[in-house]
Amino acid sequence: MPLEDPVETAKKEATATYLAHWKEVEKRYADKTGKAGNLRRYAAAAALAQVETGAADMRKKDGVVLGTVTVNNPTATSADIDRKVPNVILSSCLDISQWTVTDADTQKPVAMPKNRLVRYVIKATIEKWPEGWRVIRDEPQGKAC
């Protein structure tokens, strides 16, 4: 049985981490208390702060975000497994069209700008830390997909 290429293994593990990360983001944004989800298992650094701040801002406005986020076509654009902290860069199409900003009390959808991007290119950096892979940056590219 041939050994799997370590670069391909890193890409698969980083992609799995990224997909799991977005499931935890969904939980955090949907929770009025801001405690749901195990973000730290999948995110760190700027990516973790971005989610925590975004969810906290939503709660200050008495909002939650319900529904699902879909990560389409996650593609590893690079993988550097020979550095001290191995990393993988992913590009994907984030689809938030089924993720609805909702008033936490009334459970009614909040009006959003008609021209906002609901499917856009996002670039993520995932690093392999001693405790496992972590999303450290998640950067929307401002382009529709």
Short mmCIF file of all heavy atoms in Angstrom, two decimals, residues 9-32:
data_model
loop_
_atom_site.label_atom_id
_atom_site.label_comp_id
_atom_site.label_asym_id
_atom_site.label_seq_id
_atom_site.Cartn_x
_atom_site.Cartn_y
_atom_site.Cartn_z
N THR A 9 -1.87 15.06 2.40
CA THR A 9 -2.44 14.83 3.73
C THR A 9 -2.68 16.17 4.43
O THR A 9 -3.75 16.40 5.00
CB THR A 9 -1.50 13.94 4.56
OG1 THR A 9 -1.37 12.69 3.91
CG2 THR A 9 -2.03 13.73 5.97
N ALA A 10 -1.70 17.07 4.37
CA ALA A 10 -1.84 18.39 5.00
C ALA A 10 -3.02 19.15 4.39
O ALA A 10 -3.83 19.75 5.12
CB ALA A 10 -0.56 19.19 4.84
N LYS A 11 -3.15 19.10 3.06
CA LYS A 11 -4.25 19.79 2.39
C LYS A 11 -5.61 19.23 2.85
O LYS A 11 -6.54 19.99 3.13
CB LYS A 11 -4.13 19.66 0.87
CG LYS A 11 -3.00 20.49 0.28
CD LYS A 11 -2.91 20.23 -1.22
CE LYS A 11 -1.80 21.02 -1.88
NZ LYS A 11 -1.73 20.72 -3.33
N LYS A 12 -5.71 17.90 2.93
CA LYS A 12 -6.97 17.27 3.36
C LYS A 12 -7.30 17.64 4.79
O LYS A 12 -8.44 17.96 5.12
CB LYS A 12 -6.87 15.75 3.24
CG LYS A 12 -7.02 15.23 1.84
CD LYS A 12 -6.94 13.71 1.83
CE LYS A 12 -6.84 13.18 0.42
NZ LYS A 12 -6.49 11.78 0.39
N GLU A 13 -6.31 17.57 5.68
CA GLU A 13 -6.54 17.89 7.10
C GLU A 13 -6.91 19.36 7.28
O GLU A 13 -7.81 19.69 8.05
CB GLU A 13 -5.30 17.54 7.92
CG GLU A 13 -5.07 16.05 8.03
CD GLU A 13 -3.75 15.69 8.71
OE1 GLU A 13 -2.94 16.60 9.01
OE2 GLU A 13 -3.54 14.48 8.95
N ALA A 14 -6.22 20.24 6.57
CA ALA A 14 -6.52 21.67 6.67
C ALA A 14 -7.92 21.97 6.14
O ALA A 14 -8.67 22.76 6.74
CB ALA A 14 -5.48 22.49 5.91
N THR A 15 -8.30 21.34 5.05
CA THR A 15 -9.64 21.54 4.49
C THR A 15 -10.70 21.04 5.46
O THR A 15 -11.71 21.72 5.69
CB THR A 15 -9.77 20.83 3.12
OG1 THR A 15 -8.79 21.39 2.23
CG2 THR A 15 -11.15 21.01 2.53
N ALA A 16 -10.49 19.89 6.05
CA ALA A 16 -11.45 19.35 7.04
C ALA A 16 -11.58 20.30 8.23
O ALA A 16 -12.69 20.55 8.72
CB ALA A 16 -11.02 17.96 7.50
N THR A 17 -10.46 20.85 8.66
CA THR A 17 -10.49 21.82 9.77
C THR A 17 -11.29 23.05 9.38
O THR A 17 -12.10 23.56 10.15
CB THR A 17 -9.05 22.21 10.18
OG1 THR A 17 -8.40 21.05 10.68
CG2 THR A 17 -9.04 23.32 11.22
N TYR A 18 -11.07 23.54 8.17
CA TYR A 18 -11.77 24.73 7.71
C TYR A 18 -13.28 24.51 7.65
O TYR A 18 -14.06 25.35 8.09
CB TYR A 18 -11.23 25.17 6.35
CG TYR A 18 -11.74 26.52 5.93
CD1 TYR A 18 -11.41 27.65 6.66
CD2 TYR A 18 -12.55 26.67 4.82
CE1 TYR A 18 -11.89 28.90 6.30
CE2 TYR A 18 -13.02 27.91 4.44
CZ TYR A 18 -12.68 29.03 5.19
OH TYR A 18 -13.16 30.27 4.83
N LEU A 19 -13.70 23.38 7.13
CA LEU A 19 -15.13 23.07 7.06
C LEU A 19 -15.73 22.97 8.46
O LEU A 19 -16.82 23.49 8.72
CB LEU A 19 -15.36 21.79 6.26
CG LEU A 19 -14.95 21.86 4.78
CD1 LEU A 19 -15.06 20.49 4.12
CD2 LEU A 19 -15.77 22.90 4.02
N ALA A 20 -15.02 22.32 9.38
CA ALA A 20 -15.48 22.19 10.76
C ALA A 20 -15.54 23.58 11.44
O ALA A 20 -16.47 23.87 12.20
CB ALA A 20 -14.57 21.25 11.54
N HIS A 21 -14.57 24.41 11.13
CA HIS A 21 -14.53 25.78 11.66
C HIS A 21 -15.83 26.51 11.34
O HIS A 21 -16.44 27.14 12.21
CB HIS A 21 -13.32 26.50 11.07
CG HIS A 21 -13.37 27.99 11.13
ND1 HIS A 21 -13.18 28.69 12.29
CD2 HIS A 21 -13.60 28.92 10.16
CE1 HIS A 21 -13.27 30.00 12.04
NE2 HIS A 21 -13.52 30.15 10.76
N TRP A 22 -16.29 26.42 10.09
CA TRP A 22 -17.51 27.14 9.71
C TRP A 22 -18.75 26.60 10.41
O TRP A 22 -19.68 27.35 10.70
CB TRP A 22 -17.66 27.20 8.19
CG TRP A 22 -16.94 28.41 7.69
CD1 TRP A 22 -15.70 28.46 7.11
CD2 TRP A 22 -17.37 29.76 7.83
NE1 TRP A 22 -15.36 29.77 6.88
CE2 TRP A 22 -16.35 30.59 7.31
CE3 TRP A 22 -18.51 30.36 8.35
CZ2 TRP A 22 -16.46 31.99 7.28
CZ3 TRP A 22 -18.61 31.75 8.32
CH2 TRP A 22 -17.59 32.54 7.80
N LYS A 23 -18.78 25.31 10.74
CA LYS A 23 -19.91 24.75 11.50
C LYS A 23 -19.93 25.37 12.91
O LYS A 23 -20.99 25.67 13.46
CB LYS A 23 -19.84 23.23 11.58
CG LYS A 23 -20.09 22.55 10.25
CD LYS A 23 -21.48 22.87 9.75
CE LYS A 23 -21.70 22.48 8.32
NZ LYS A 23 -22.78 23.22 7.69
N GLU A 24 -18.74 25.58 13.48
CA GLU A 24 -18.65 26.20 14.81
C GLU A 24 -19.01 27.69 14.74
O GLU A 24 -19.64 28.22 15.66
CB GLU A 24 -17.26 26.00 15.41
CG GLU A 24 -16.89 24.54 15.62
CD GLU A 24 -17.90 23.75 16.42
OE1 GLU A 24 -18.26 24.19 17.53
OE2 GLU A 24 -18.33 22.68 15.94
N VAL A 25 -18.63 28.36 13.66
CA VAL A 25 -18.99 29.76 13.47
C VAL A 25 -20.52 29.90 13.43
O VAL A 25 -21.09 30.79 14.07
CB VAL A 25 -18.35 30.34 12.18
CG1 VAL A 25 -18.91 31.73 11.86
CG2 VAL A 25 -16.84 30.38 12.30
N GLU A 26 -21.17 29.01 12.70
CA GLU A 26 -22.64 29.02 12.64
C GLU A 26 -23.23 28.95 14.05
O GLU A 26 -24.15 29.70 14.38
CB GLU A 26 -23.17 27.82 11.85
CG GLU A 26 -23.01 27.91 10.38
CD GLU A 26 -23.48 26.63 9.68
OE1 GLU A 26 -24.00 25.70 10.35
OE2 GLU A 26 -23.32 26.55 8.46
N LYS A 27 -22.72 28.04 14.87
CA LYS A 27 -23.24 27.87 16.24
C LYS A 27 -23.05 29.14 17.06
O LYS A 27 -23.95 29.56 17.80
CB LYS A 27 -22.53 26.71 16.94
CG LYS A 27 -22.85 25.36 16.35
CD LYS A 27 -21.99 24.28 17.01
CE LYS A 27 -22.07 22.97 16.26
NZ LYS A 27 -21.10 22.00 16.79
N ARG A 28 -21.86 29.75 16.94
CA ARG A 28 -21.58 30.96 17.74
C ARG A 28 -22.50 32.10 17.35
O ARG A 28 -23.05 32.78 18.20
CB ARG A 28 -20.11 31.34 17.58
CG ARG A 28 -19.66 32.55 18.40
CD ARG A 28 -19.80 32.37 19.92
NE ARG A 28 -19.20 31.18 20.44
CZ ARG A 28 -17.99 31.08 20.97
NH1 ARG A 28 -17.23 32.14 21.07
NH2 ARG A 28 -17.54 29.92 21.41
N TYR A 29 -22.67 32.33 16.07
CA TYR A 29 -23.52 33.44 15.61
C TYR A 29 -25.00 33.20 15.92
O TYR A 29 -25.76 34.14 16.06
CB TYR A 29 -23.34 33.67 14.11
CG TYR A 29 -22.25 34.66 13.78
CD1 TYR A 29 -20.93 34.25 13.65
CD2 TYR A 29 -22.54 36.00 13.59
CE1 TYR A 29 -19.93 35.15 13.33
CE2 TYR A 29 -21.54 36.92 13.28
CZ TYR A 29 -20.24 36.48 13.15
OH TYR A 29 -19.24 37.39 12.84
N ALA A 30 -25.41 31.96 16.03
CA ALA A 30 -26.82 31.64 16.29
C ALA A 30 -27.18 31.72 17.77
O ALA A 30 -28.35 31.69 18.12
CB ALA A 30 -27.14 30.25 15.76
N ASP A 31 -26.18 31.83 18.63
CA ASP A 31 -26.41 31.77 20.08
C ASP A 31 -26.46 33.16 20.71
O ASP A 31 -25.49 33.91 20.63
CB ASP A 31 -25.28 30.95 20.72
CG ASP A 31 -25.43 30.82 22.21
OD1 ASP A 31 -26.58 30.77 22.70
OD2 ASP A 31 -24.40 30.77 22.90
N LYS A 32 -27.59 33.47 21.35
CA LYS A 32 -27.77 34.76 22.01
C LYS A 32 -26.75 34.99 23.13
O LYS A 32 -26.39 36.12 23.42
CB LYS A 32 -29.17 34.83 22.63
CG LYS A 32 -30.10 35.72 21.88
CD LYS A 32 -31.54 35.60 22.31
CE LYS A 32 -31.86 36.09 23.68
NZ LYS A 32 -33.28 36.33 23.86
#
